[in-house]
Amino acid sequence: MITSPSSLRRSEKSRRATLDAALELCTEKGYGRVTIEAIAARAGVSKKTIYRWWPSKGAVVLEAFAGMLVGATPFIDTGDIEADLRTHIGSLVKLMSTPPYGPAYAGILSEMHHDDDLARAVREQLVDPRVDAAVERLRGAQEQGQIPDGADLPLAVEMLYGPVYYRHVLRKPAQDEVTVATLVSHVLRSLAAGGAPGPGRLG
């Protein structure tokens, strides 16, 4: 099982160098060709050091990507849920369309299908916390009367993020501002029209 590396046992300078090296190599070589040996050489640390802090290449890249994602895609609250979701989804699209973050995450998503520990880490360290934060922002809008009572908020999050991941994984052109605005508008309208969640909810 992948566990979070202890920051108390490692040099922050070496940690940052390792994460930066992993992202740089993902851009230059593609995720599949990046190795722990190459990361260690680029970062100026030993393989032993990396394996003491992370169990795999995927864990290194995941920590590098997750740290940037959280900072670049905050859940702001201006009182206008539609505008805030446009900002949030737009920031996510921009990050996933920009090297080294897009190529790095695409590699993680591919490898997690063959690595149960990495898949679990992606869910626990990245996906679940972000979904919880998104649901909480939608719940705040619901309490303000901007989203109907009874709306299925977790499903709304899937509807918002699904098209972004679909385009990213299939290497289709990323959404532009107009497409993001249309996506957000459609999701919010569906919440208004859908009422209480039905038995066919995907999960």
Side-chain angles (χ1 to χ4, degrees):
M1 177 177 179
I2 294 177
T3 56
S4 298
S6 172
S7 60
L8 298 178
R9 296 179 297 175
R10 59 185 178 180
S11 158
E12 179 59 26
K13 181 179 179 180
S14 295
R15 170 186 172 274
R16 188 68 260 168
T18 301
L19 298 180
D20 289 345
L23 291 175
E24 291 169 4
L25 289 168
C26 282
T27 301
E28 296 171 13
K29 298 176 177 292
Y31 179 91
R33 296 180 180 178
V34 176
T35 64
I36 290 292
E37 290 83 357
I39 295 173
R42 177 68 62 90
V45 302
S46 68
K47 285 174 54 179
K48 183 178 179 180
T49 295
I50 292 179
Y51 279 121
R52 187 166 64 244
W53 298 337
W54 296 278
S56 67
K57 175 184 74 175
V60 178
V61 179
L62 173 60
E63 183 172 334
F65 178 79
M68 177 56 65
L69 178 69
V70 172
T73 59
F75 291 95
I76 61 175
D77 185 355
T78 67
D80 182 341
I81 186 60
E82 186 164 357
D84 292 347
L85 288 177
R86 287 200 303 266
T87 298
H88 174 73
I89 297 297
S91 297
L92 176 62
V93 169
K94 182 178 180 180
L95 181 70
M96 294 176 67
S97 303
T98 304
Y101 307 108
Y105 197 39
I108 293 170
L109 294 176
S110 176
E111 184 164 323
M112 62 184 280
H113 290 285
H114 311 285
D115 184 335
D116 291 341
D117 287 342
L118 179 61
R120 187 180 303 109
V122 170
R123 291 193 302 270
E124 293 177 352
Q125 298 176 23
L126 182 62
V127 175
D128 290 349
R130 299 301 285 169
V131 169
D132 290 346
V135 169
E136 187 63 26
R137 177 64 189 92
L138 291 175
R139 184 172 292 114
Q142 192 175 54
E143 293 170 352
Q144 295 168 358
Q146 298 182 62
I147 293 176
D149 293 338
D152 191 330
L153 302 185
L155 180 58
V157 174
E158 293 183 6
M159 293 166 64
L160 286 165
Y161 288 155
V164 178
Y165 279 83
Y166 164 77
R167 287 182 178 238
H168 184 63
V169 170
L170 296 185
R171 302 181 67 178
K172 296 172 68 70
Q175 292 94 333
D176 56 20
E177 290 186 11
V178 173
T179 308
V180 169
T182 300
L183 168 63
V184 171
S185 178
H186 273 290
V187 171
L188 291 178
R189 285 206 304 271
S190 74
L191 294 180
R201 157 86 199 285
L202 298 175

